[in-house]
Amino acid sequence: MTGPIAVKVAPEVYWAPRKDRIFVRIMVRECSDDYELKILEKTISFRGKNKEGNKEFNLDLHLYEEIDSKAYKKSASDRMIKLCLNRKQVGEFWPRLLETKAKMHCVKTDFDLWQDESDDDVEDDAANWETMMNNMNIGGTEMGEDDELEDSDDDDLPDLEDDKDMEQLE
């Protein structure tokens, strides 16, 4: 008698671009440690099984541009494999992870790591929140420590009408 047949599954892949590198997360929940990961200049391949042996993970990604297949960083856990892939050519952000424009249902944008191209230049200014808030001049005038602006909420409010007048209206 043979055991259960493993179901082939394409793991979810999350990605985020930078000018000089690409972040990729391959979601392989409860994957055994004897997986196979190949990183070539234009391809990422992953093969592995979950610990129970009833799921077989298969993934082949043909990348948009070339990466440095020798200089990358990898972090693996029983839930996912994180990759930081260095691009061969530093430049504009990749418009997509894959070479083809066809949508792969398992490839998704990693919004936790996402950064717009315009954010790359502004990142240092926005990092210091306190400095940014101190530089804001909302009222259009500069105030000293002892100066106070007159607030319309400080005006005296008129007295409320008598309840007797309200009873007559009902």
Side-chain angles (χ1 to χ4, degrees), residues 144-156:
E145 289 182 24
D146 298 330
D147 295 339
E148 287 187 33
L149 289 176
E150 186 176 322
D151 191 356
S152 63
D153 292 343
D154 295 338
D155 294 342
D156 291 331

Side-chain angles (χ1 to χ4, degrees), residues 21 32 50 64 70 82 131 135:
R21 60 188 175 267
S32 61
N50 67 345
Y64 181 75
K70 293 183 171 82
K82 294 180 183 179
T131 303
N135 290 336

Side-chain angles (χ1 to χ4, degrees), residues 26 28 31-33 35 37 46 73-83:
I26 304 171
V28 285
C31 186
S32 61
D33 293 334
Y35 61 84
L37 177 67
F46 178 83
K73 294 179 184 175
K74 178 183 92 166
S75 172
S77 70
D78 65 341
R79 292 183 47 202
M80 73 179 96
I81 296 173
K82 294 180 183 179
L83 300 171

Side-chain angles (χ1 to χ4, degrees), residues 15-32:
W15 80 287
R18 295 291 188 280
K19 289 183 179 184
D20 59 343
R21 60 188 175 267
I22 301 294
F23 295 106
V24 176
R25 288 189 298 152
I26 304 171
M27 308 305 286
V28 285
R29 195 167 300 243
E30 298 178 3
C31 186
S32 61

